[in-house]
Amino acid sequence: MKSKELSVDLRDRIVSRHKSGEGYRKISAALKVPVSTVASIIRKWKKFETTRTLPRAGRPSKLSDRGRRALVREVTKNPKVSELQRSSVERGEPFRRTTISAAIHQSGLYGRVAIRMPLLSKRHMAARLEFAKRHLKDSQTIRNKILWSDETKIEHFGVNARRHIWRKPGTAHHQANTIPIVKHDGGSIMLWGCFSAAGTGRLVRIKGKMTAAIYRDILDENLLQSTLDHRLGRRFIFQQHNDPKHTAKISKEWLQDNSVNVLEWPSLSPDLNPIKHLWRDLKMAVHRHFPSNLMELERCCKEEWAKLAKDRCAKLVASYSKTLEAVTAAKGALTKY
């Protein structure tokens, strides 16, 4: 049976006693360690100048350096590539998937689920950068006055299908590592919701296809009541994205008639809206209940939305400067915040 490895502290004490002039047998008796072990630790210390456990060489890789470089080059060029075993066979080096994965991991690349994000143009990135720089100066008092809103789709049977990619840590939002969003119907419900630093606001199911008239009705029935519930005051700020239904004449007129101050928002910027974190929390909570139908799904969504902690909402708003700093550092590109 393999013996237990000595602690680093005990190995250091053996070396320390050796340095002070004690012999192997005396050290062995004092620390109750076999003489052979004492001798082995001291030999290792003399050779490598450390008592720490050194990396084991392990079984030599069958994959050549040239083959490893080819794999890394392939996944770097195309992070969505999946047929790596087939390409290794074509190069004359057929290997198991575990061998290929280990070789790629050594280069700092790991298989991860690709997120779905919009494709940004230079104009979009410039607008996002300008937005971030302008609102970095906002005080926390102003941010606490913002009512954030958005729509989301909740799948009946869990999240959308996932696709794995090869990427380095911290590169999830790079364009090459994302998958374009494709909207489709069936087996899901659409929701409109809002929140502020004071907590979650109203949550409404959108029945049928969303139109400007339906959106106007949602605002009429839920927006002002949410601001009253949160005590945001008359000078609150309303955030919405630039969907055509949000910017339609009928929607603009309602906002103007009710003296709503709308936050100017850059196009294709869902990553800038902190409500995305609450949507994620909601979806995870709802699907732990395994709702049996869409009516039950709607009920679960409203119950779990109301349960989301006020502290969670407050922290999302309080940390919003980090999002803007990340966008500024990325020069308007997508961020993980």
Side-chain angles (χ1 to χ4, degrees), residues 44-327:
K44 175 183 175 181
W45 171 75
K46 287 180 178 179
K47 183 175 181 179
F48 299 106
E49 297 182 346
T50 182
T51 59
R52 271 56 178 173
T53 302
L54 298 174
R56 272 78 168 184
R59 181 180 178 181
S61 175
K62 292 184 177 181
L63 187 62
S64 66
D65 290 339
R66 181 180 180 183
R68 182 179 291 104
R69 289 195 301 270
L71 284 172
V72 172
R73 187 163 56 247
E74 187 171 355
V75 298
T76 301
K77 183 178 179 181
N78 180 16
K80 300 183 182 73
V81 66
S82 58
E83 298 293 336
L84 292 173
Q85 279 183 286
R86 181 180 300 175
S87 61
S88 69
V89 171
E90 292 172 354
R91 287 194 301 271
E93 293 184 310
F95 294 109
R96 298 176 63 183
R97 192 174 70 86
T98 52
T99 302
I100 294 172
S101 296
I104 297 174
H105 292 169
Q106 290 176 0
S107 298
L109 294 163
Y110 300 89
R112 298 291 186 265
V113 176
I115 62 172
R116 298 171 182 269
M117 295 293 285
L119 179 64
L120 299 178
S121 67
K122 290 183 179 180
R123 178 175 59 83
H124 294 138
M125 292 173 65
R128 286 161 54 86
L129 180 59
E130 195 275 331
F131 173 87
K133 288 181 176 179
R134 183 171 70 252
H135 290 286
L136 261 174
K137 303 174 184 178
D138 292 347
S139 66
Q140 194 58 46
T141 301
I142 292 177
R143 290 177 185 159
N144 288 344
K145 289 281 188 180
I146 300 176
L147 186 71
W148 307 87
S149 72
D150 193 19
E151 295 93 39
T152 192
K153 179 175 68 174
I154 306 284
E155 296 282 350
H156 183 199
F157 296 108
V159 297
N160 289 333
R162 297 180 174 185
R163 181 175 178 183
H164 286 265
I165 59 169
W166 295 101
R167 65 171 176 83
K168 291 188 176 182
T171 63
H173 290 76
H174 289 189
Q175 182 179 326
N177 298 336
T178 63
I179 294 175
I181 296 172
V182 179
K183 296 183 178 180
H184 58 275
D185 298 322
S188 62
I189 61 174
M190 286 293 298
L191 301 172
W192 176 92
C194 61
F195 91 102
S196 73
T200 55
R202 295 291 185 92
L203 185 72
V204 182
R205 178 179 177 181
I206 304 167
K207 295 184 178 180
K209 185 177 180 180
M210 172 75 105
T211 63
I214 291 176
Y215 183 66
R216 188 269 318 275
D217 291 342
I218 288 175
L219 297 180
D220 190 48
E221 297 170 8
N222 301 278
L223 177 56
L224 297 181
Q225 186 59 50
S226 291
T227 64
L228 290 174
D229 294 341
H230 293 183
R231 298 181 180 180
L232 298 183
R234 294 181 179 180
R235 303 183 65 181
F236 75 92
I237 303 169
F238 178 54
Q239 180 276 333
Q240 62 177 0
H241 58 78
N242 295 323
D243 186 280
K245 294 174 283 294
H246 298 179
T247 57
K249 182 179 179 180
I250 191 174
S251 302
K252 285 184 175 180
E253 287 178 349
W254 186 94
L255 293 167
Q256 291 170 358
D257 292 343
N258 288 273
S259 303
V260 176
N261 182 17
V262 179
L263 179 65
E264 187 177 348
W265 192 254
S267 299
L268 299 179
S269 299
D271 58 319
L272 301 187
N273 193 343
I275 201 173
K276 67 180 184 291
H277 299 291
L278 296 184
W279 289 143
R280 180 64 180 173
D281 294 348
L282 176 66
K283 291 174 183 179
M284 292 179 66
V286 166
H287 289 297
R288 283 195 289 266
H289 293 283
F290 300 101
S292 58
N293 53 58
L294 295 184
M295 288 185 64
E296 189 176 339
L297 177 62
E298 179 183 356
R299 179 184 59 79
C300 286
C301 286
K302 291 182 177 180
E303 289 178 356
E304 294 298 332
W305 182 254
K307 291 179 184 177
L308 293 178
K310 292 182 179 180
D311 287 348
R312 170 67 164 157
C313 298
K315 288 178 181 178
L316 288 175
V317 176
S319 63
Y320 192 60
S321 58
K322 293 182 179 179
T323 299
L324 301 179
E325 289 169 357
V327 175

Side-chain angles (χ1 to χ4, degrees), residues 9-43:
D9 177 65
L10 183 54
R11 283 178 264 171
D12 288 340
R13 287 163 61 193
I14 290 172
V15 172
S16 178
R17 285 175 174 267
H18 172 71
K19 287 181 179 179
S20 65
E22 292 187 17
Y24 290 5
R25 292 185 181 279
K26 189 174 181 180
I27 296 173
S28 172
L31 301 179
K32 297 181 181 180
V33 177
V35 176
S36 59
T37 302
V38 172
S40 175
I41 290 172
I42 294 174
R43 280 199 307 272

